[in-house]
């Protein structure tokens, strides 16, 4: 019998939620993960992925066999929590607004459960990865030699999904999450009195035109059967009512799935800014960064995950036809190097959205996530 209970899982999850840490700063989180693993005598290596990542493992009692990896992200977000429950964030301006506290807890629970009853052949690696949000901790772990140091035939990931009921899951055959690029554009002109705009070079007018013009790259140049998003999310200019500012800064993100389309959008983005700057007599600087590739499942592995979920008594429905998300996930770096699959488990139809200050991971999902991980292991390595 497993020593893990829903009450223990809830206690762990609430503790992680109360003490959120953002990218590459997850010192307390990492130490607590190691403490929980050590309490069950599970072997591990710490200090990975830039210093806060942990990889642990459990060997099956049925002898030698294949090795697979299970991954959880452990970082939080720079979001001020709006919840008032007892386990709300105690760190101002930081919050587990994406459920990584729950992902971490599910994987710890699976590690304990499999250590209690290792009725499988081979080895399971438990990958606790830092810095999923924006900073590419998955890329860092891969570049540090994750798959060379811990050889595995496949790697699997899970994310909770608001809008799906607890007991529902979604599995995509191929594309799951979009590629992720970010940009900062600075336009520099000539400031003047707002009553005399003809004496200056108006960066605000140019920037407003640019925001509209960039949308045409997606709406008029992207093939209708290919999905892409270009969003300007920040606009910084000026400090006074009666001064035309000399500079304006725009920031935003680009998302798509197709690598060729990704390169095309970047090229047209740069051309549009250069042309607009020339027309208005401005100088332009562009910082365009390609952050994450698109997340693609290996079809055979996705199908096995779906079959495992469909056979679980507490899973009522497995969606195989949900559209992929335009959000991004640095598990993509792991799937580029190793076959596997990334699936969604419902966090509740009434759950607040991911990255929302009212969000909270659903404690009803935690035992179900543990059951999915352990069932997957016993199915693949049985």
């Amino acid at each position: 019998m497993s020593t893990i209970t829903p009450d223990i899982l809830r206690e762990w999850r609430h503790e992680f939620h109360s003490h959120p840490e953002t990218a590459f700063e997850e010192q307390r989180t990492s130490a607590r993960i190691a403490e929980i693993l050590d309490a069950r005598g599970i072997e591990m290596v710490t200090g990975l992925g830039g210093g806060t990542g942990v990889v642990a493992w459990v060997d099956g009692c049925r002898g030698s066999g294949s090795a697979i990896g299970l991954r959880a992200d452990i970082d939080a977000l720079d979001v001020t929590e709006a919840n008032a429950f007892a386990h709300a964030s105690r760190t101002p301006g930081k919050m587990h607004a994406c459920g990584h506290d729950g992902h971490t807890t599910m994987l710890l629970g699976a590690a304990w459960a499999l250590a209690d009853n290792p009725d499988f052949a081979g080895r399971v690696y438990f990958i606790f990865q830092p810095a999923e949000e924006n900073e590419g901790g998955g890329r860092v772990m891969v570049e540090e030699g994750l798959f060379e140091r811990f050889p595995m035939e496949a790697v699997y990931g899970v994310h909770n999904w608001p809008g799906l009921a607890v007991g529902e899951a979604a599995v995509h055959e191929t594309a799951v999450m979009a590629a992720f690029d970010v940009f900062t554009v600075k336009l520099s002109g000539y400031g003047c009195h707002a009553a005399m705009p003809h004496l200056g070079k108006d960066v605000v007018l140019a920037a407003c035109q640019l925001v509209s013009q960039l949308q045409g790259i997606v709406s008029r140049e992207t093939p209708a059967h290919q999905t892409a998003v270009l969003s300007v999310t920040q606009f910084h200019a000026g400090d006074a009512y009666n001064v035309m500012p000399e500079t304006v800064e725009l920031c935003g993100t680009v998302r798509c799935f197709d690598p060729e389309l990704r390169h095309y959008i970047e090229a047209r983005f740069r051309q549009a800014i250069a042309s607009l700057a020339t027309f208005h007599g401005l100088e332009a600087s562009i910082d365009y960064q390609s952050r994450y590739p698109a997340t693609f499942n290996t079809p055979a592995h996705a199908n096995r995950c779906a079959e495992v979920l469909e056979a679980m008594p507490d899973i009522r429905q497995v969606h195989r036809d949900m559209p992929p998300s335009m959000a991004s996930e640095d598990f993509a770096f792991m799937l580029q190097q190793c076959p596997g699959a990334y699936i969604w488990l419902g966090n509740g139809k009434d759950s607040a959205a991911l990255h929302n200050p009212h969000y909270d991971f659903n404690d009803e999902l935690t035992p179900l996530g543990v059951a999915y991980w352990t069932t997957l292991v016993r199915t693949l390595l049985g």
Side-chain angles (χ1 to χ4, degrees), residues 12-350:
W12 290 349
R13 209 278 296 178
H14 287 192
E15 180 184 355
F16 287 126
H17 190 93
S18 296
H19 301 280
E21 297 172 300
T22 46
F24 298 120
E25 298 176 352
E26 309 95 335
Q27 297 293 339
R28 186 188 191 281
T29 302
S30 178
R32 184 65 178 125
I33 289 168
E35 184 179 36
I36 291 171
L37 292 168
D38 187 62
R40 186 56 190 80
I42 297 171
E43 294 184 85
M44 77 193 88
V45 175
T46 60
L48 304 172
T52 53
V54 178
V55 174
W57 58 90
V58 169
D59 291 320
C61 64
R62 297 187 183 181
S64 61
S66 299
I68 62 172
L70 314 179
R71 173 269 200 176
D73 34 21
I74 69 173
D75 58 321
L77 283 155
D78 290 309
V79 172
T80 299
E81 182 153 11
N83 297 310
F85 42 57
H87 62 277
S89 172
R90 299 178 188 176
T91 306
K94 297 184 186 295
M95 175 191 174
H96 270 295
C98 202
H100 298 185
D101 52 336
H103 303 164
T104 298
T105 300
M106 291 192 299
L107 194 57
L108 285 168
W112 269 49
L114 290 167
D116 285 342
N117 186 16
D119 57 338
F120 59 91
R123 172 173 286 186
V124 181
Y125 289 108
F126 306 92
I127 305 165
F128 297 90
Q129 179 220 300
E132 188 279 324
E133 299 289 356
N134 299 312
E135 300 305 324
R139 173 185 54 78
V140 173
M141 292 195 83
V142 170
E143 291 176 349
E144 286 184 354
L146 172 68
F147 296 115
E148 291 78 22
R149 189 170 181 181
F150 310 100
M152 58 193 79
E153 282 71 44
V155 65
Y156 300 92
V158 164
H159 206 291
N160 76 95
W161 209 251
L164 283 181
V166 174
E168 294 186 15
V171 181
H172 300 79
E173 184 177 30
T174 54
V176 188
M177 312 282 272
F180 165 40
D181 297 342
V182 296
F183 59 81
T184 300
V185 177
K186 184 176 181 180
L187 299 176
S188 300
Y190 188 78
C192 65
H193 197 295
M196 308 169 196
H198 61 287
L199 298 179
K201 295 186 183 297
D202 191 348
V203 294
V204 173
L205 173 63
C208 290
Q209 292 176 351
L210 181 61
V211 171
S212 298
Q213 183 178 342
L214 289 175
Q215 301 309 310
I217 298 175
V218 172
S219 66
R220 288 297 177 264
E221 298 185 32
T222 300
H225 67 279
Q226 291 185 302
T227 305
V229 172
L230 192 161
S231 295
V232 176
T233 57
Q234 300 179 47
F235 193 120
H236 306 287
D239 299 296
Y241 289 107
N242 61 345
V243 177
M244 304 289 286
E246 290 213 356
T247 62
V248 62
E249 187 175 86
L250 304 175
C251 303
T253 183
V254 175
R255 313 287 176 120
C256 66
F257 293 93
D258 183 82
E260 291 186 8
L261 177 60
R262 189 182 188 186
H263 293 312
Y264 176 84
I265 291 174
E266 180 182 353
R268 290 292 291 132
F269 179 91
R270 293 180 181 277
Q271 290 171 5
I273 293 166
S275 298
L276 178 130
T278 298
F279 179 80
H280 288 276
L282 309 176
E283 293 183 3
S285 65
I286 303 170
D287 179 15
Y288 194 104
Q289 300 179 24
S290 296
R291 290 289 181 91
Y292 299 174
T295 305
F296 284 96
N297 284 340
T298 309
H301 291 265
N303 187 59
R304 291 300 302 277
C305 291
E307 291 173 347
V308 166
L309 288 161
E310 288 166 345
M312 291 175 59
D314 291 329
I315 296 292
R316 297 188 300 276
Q317 185 174 7
V318 178
H319 300 270
R320 297 203 189 205
D321 56 353
M322 284 188 66
S325 171
M326 297 309 293
S328 301
E329 167 60 70
D330 77 344
F331 188 61
F333 290 106
M334 295 188 186
L335 288 177
Q336 283 187 328
Q337 300 297 317
C338 185
Y342 180 85
I343 65 107
W344 299 342
L345 292 176
N347 196 58
K349 288 187 174 295
D350 298 325

